């Protein structure tokens, strides 16, 4: 620690020369981001960085910089959003080892060839899918539930851990309004399945997905098409599960066959079921709580990794809904 002429105590961190430009960012933009995130001041000269601010914040930022520098020294290629991810992770859990987070072993290492987790919850989610046959995740939009599940499914397919991938999604209005849409049945249901196709195209590639769809290696279908089937050697994803009824959820979970994995995703704040219909996702959390072999993962607005405005929007709605449910809700 050094004392500057202003009388403020500052921490000096000496970093490895390897990758220093990537760590600091263009025009030191990464350092500025760290300053804003932790409310500290940073000044760099060569590979030395001085950190000013509250002692606890100095210590945390020093640990952040040293761990990122150690990653670079090991040959890790720092991507544009890795510093933001590291900041997010240490803000949530300061004791986290960034080396373990960014350089996982086993299955997670192979998944990271396709996607990179951006929060501790996302890493826990990937680990849960690697280690459990049934994973149920609940959280707001933008937390990566569908995207990461598709990435894990693609890895399982590539590694020959499963023979096919099945992605299902409830079409809430199938019994009422789809008949008014133009086209055949496939044309009518495709709008409901588009988010799953988008994730597949982004992770695997359009042409490869098209070939796999033609061969039946990948199947994307409405949940109603799962009835009466048993899915062996498959990675099965149920998306938008908050819009399943109790009967549909039970039907889906009992489709899982031998050597199969199932992932159930949903956001209980966006239920589109008709009034009076209970959500199968809300029920299953209570019914299966404590059952061995099933892993539940909960995401919050802190895990939103879309455009920064999305996280702010989620927080604003959460705050509004909490206020509306207060003791004076509904009063004049």
């Amino acid at each position: 620690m050094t004392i500057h002429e202003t009388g403020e105590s500052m921490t000096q961190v000496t970093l490895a020369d390897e990758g220093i430009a990537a760590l600091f960012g263009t025009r030191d933009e990464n350092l500025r981001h760290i300053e804003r995130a932790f409310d500290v001041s940073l000044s760099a000269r060569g590979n030395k960085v001085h950190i000013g601010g509250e002692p606890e914040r100095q210590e945390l930022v020093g640990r952040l910089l040293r761990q990122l520098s150690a990653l670079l020294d090991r040959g890790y290629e720092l991507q544009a959003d890795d510093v933001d991810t590291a900041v997010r992770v240490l803000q949530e859990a300061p004791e986290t080892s960034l080396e373990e987070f960014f350089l996982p072993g086993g299955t997670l290492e192979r998944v990271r060839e396709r996607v990179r987790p951006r929060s501790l919850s996302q890493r826990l989610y990937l680990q849960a899918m690697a280690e459990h046959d049934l994973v149920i995740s609940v959280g707001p939009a933008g937390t990566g539930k569908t995207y990461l599940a598709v990435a894990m499914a693609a890895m399982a397919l590539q590694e020959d851990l499963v023979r096919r991938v099945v992605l299902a999604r409830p079409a809430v209005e199938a019994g009422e309004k789809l008949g008014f849409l133009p086209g055949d049945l496939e044309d009518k249901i495709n709008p409901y399945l588009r988010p799953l196709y988008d994730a597949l195209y982004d992770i695997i590639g359009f042409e490869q997905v098209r070939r796999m769809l033609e061969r039946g290696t990948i199947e994307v279908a409405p949940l109603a098409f799962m009835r009466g089937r048993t899915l062996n050697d498959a990675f099965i994803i149920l998306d938008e599960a908050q819009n399943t009824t109790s009967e549909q959820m039970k039907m889906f979970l009992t489709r899982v066959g031998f050597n199969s994995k199932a992932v159930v995703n949903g956001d209980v704040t966006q239920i589109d079921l008709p009034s009076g219909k209970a959500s199968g996702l809300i029920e299953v959390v209570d019914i299966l709580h404590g059952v061995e072999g099933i892993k539940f993962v909960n995401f919050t607005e802190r895990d939103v990794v879309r455009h920064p405005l999305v996280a702010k929007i989620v927080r604003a709605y959460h705050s509004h809904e909490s206020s509306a449910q207060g003791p004076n809700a509904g009063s004049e």
Side-chain angles (χ1 to χ4, degrees):
M1 181 174 289
T2 59
I3 307 294
H4 279 224
E5 294 179 359
T6 60
E8 179 188 29
S9 63
M10 302 187 77
T11 299
Q12 176 180 292
V13 177
T14 301
L15 306 174
D17 291 323
E18 184 68 31
I20 200 78
L23 176 54
F24 288 177
T26 304
R27 297 181 180 178
D28 292 345
E29 61 183 10
N30 289 339
L31 296 184
R32 304 290 80 83
H33 174 57
I34 294 171
E35 282 183 328
R36 293 189 297 271
F38 293 99
D39 192 22
V40 297
S41 61
L42 299 176
S43 60
R45 177 172 296 179
N47 67 339
K48 300 184 185 300
V49 180
H50 288 90
I51 310 167
E54 294 182 2
E56 289 184 359
R57 295 179 182 273
Q58 289 186 37
E59 181 182 352
L60 182 55
V61 171
R63 188 155 69 250
L64 168 69
L65 292 172
R66 282 190 292 268
Q67 289 194 73
L68 288 175
S69 180
L71 282 169
L72 289 164
D73 198 41
R74 288 190 56 180
Y76 180 81
E77 295 184 7
L78 201 67
Q79 302 296 312
D81 56 5
D82 283 343
V83 172
D84 179 65
T85 299
V87 167
R88 181 195 299 266
V89 167
L90 288 194
Q91 282 180 324
E92 185 176 348
E95 72 284 356
T96 302
S97 165
L98 294 182
E99 183 174 329
E100 293 180 3
F101 184 91
F102 285 104
L103 298 175
T107 300
L108 294 189
E109 183 177 5
R110 300 196 296 276
V111 175
R112 281 184 63 90
E113 295 175 3
R114 299 178 181 274
V115 294
R116 298 182 179 218
R118 298 285 305 280
S119 70
L120 287 174
S121 295
Q122 286 194 351
R123 191 182 189 281
L124 174 63
Y125 181 44
L126 288 173
Q127 187 171 352
M129 288 188 287
E131 297 176 355
H132 294 79
D133 289 338
L134 174 58
V135 176
I136 299 173
S137 72
V138 180
T143 50
K145 302 183 299 295
T146 301
Y147 199 85
L148 293 175
V150 171
M152 181 64 78
M155 184 282 300
L157 201 58
Q158 184 182 44
E159 299 282 328
D160 293 325
L161 301 177
V162 296
R163 289 189 295 135
R164 57 179 167 166
V165 171
V166 180
L167 302 99
R169 185 181 171 115
V172 175
E173 298 173 319
E176 184 176 358
K177 296 183 180 179
L178 282 180
F180 295 98
L181 294 175
D184 58 19
L185 179 60
E186 184 175 354
D187 293 328
K188 295 175 191 293
I189 64 177
N190 268 343
Y192 292 95
L193 306 176
R194 179 52 53 189
L196 295 173
Y197 283 110
D198 289 343
L200 284 171
Y201 295 151
D202 196 18
I203 294 169
I204 302 178
F206 182 84
E207 287 300 323
Q208 191 172 358
V209 169
R210 185 179 60 80
R211 290 193 296 269
M212 288 180 170
L213 287 168
E214 290 174 353
R215 294 196 301 264
T217 307
I218 295 178
E219 178 184 351
V220 184
L223 177 59
F225 286 21
M226 299 295 104
R227 190 172 300 278
R229 304 175 62 185
T230 299
L231 301 172
N232 297 315
D233 296 307
F235 197 111
I236 316 157
I237 300 172
L238 174 59
D239 200 34
E240 296 291 325
Q242 76 275 4
N243 289 325
T244 61
T245 64
S246 302
E247 296 79 8
Q248 287 174 328
M249 178 61 75
K250 181 180 179 181
M251 180 271 289
F252 173 81
L253 294 176
T254 54
R255 299 309 94 199
V256 181
F258 293 106
N259 192 41
S260 289
K261 285 180 176 286
V263 179
V264 176
N265 298 322
D267 177 2
V268 295
T269 68
Q270 296 190 36
I271 297 174
D272 299 319
L273 290 169
S275 178
K277 277 284 188 181
S279 168
L281 179 60
I282 293 178
E283 281 195 351
V284 81
V285 172
D286 292 330
I287 293 172
L288 298 184
H289 178 73
V291 175
E292 187 176 354
I294 301 174
K295 181 69 175 180
F296 290 89
V297 179
N298 292 305
F299 292 94
T300 69
E301 62 271 10
R302 291 181 304 180
D303 300 302
V304 174
V305 292
R306 290 180 180 170
H307 190 287
L309 274 177
V310 174
K312 295 179 181 178
I313 291 168
V314 170
R315 283 195 295 269
Y317 269 94
H318 179 74
S319 177
H320 173 75
E321 290 162 1
S322 297
S323 299
Q325 295 170 3
N328 298 320
S331 62
E332 293 292 327

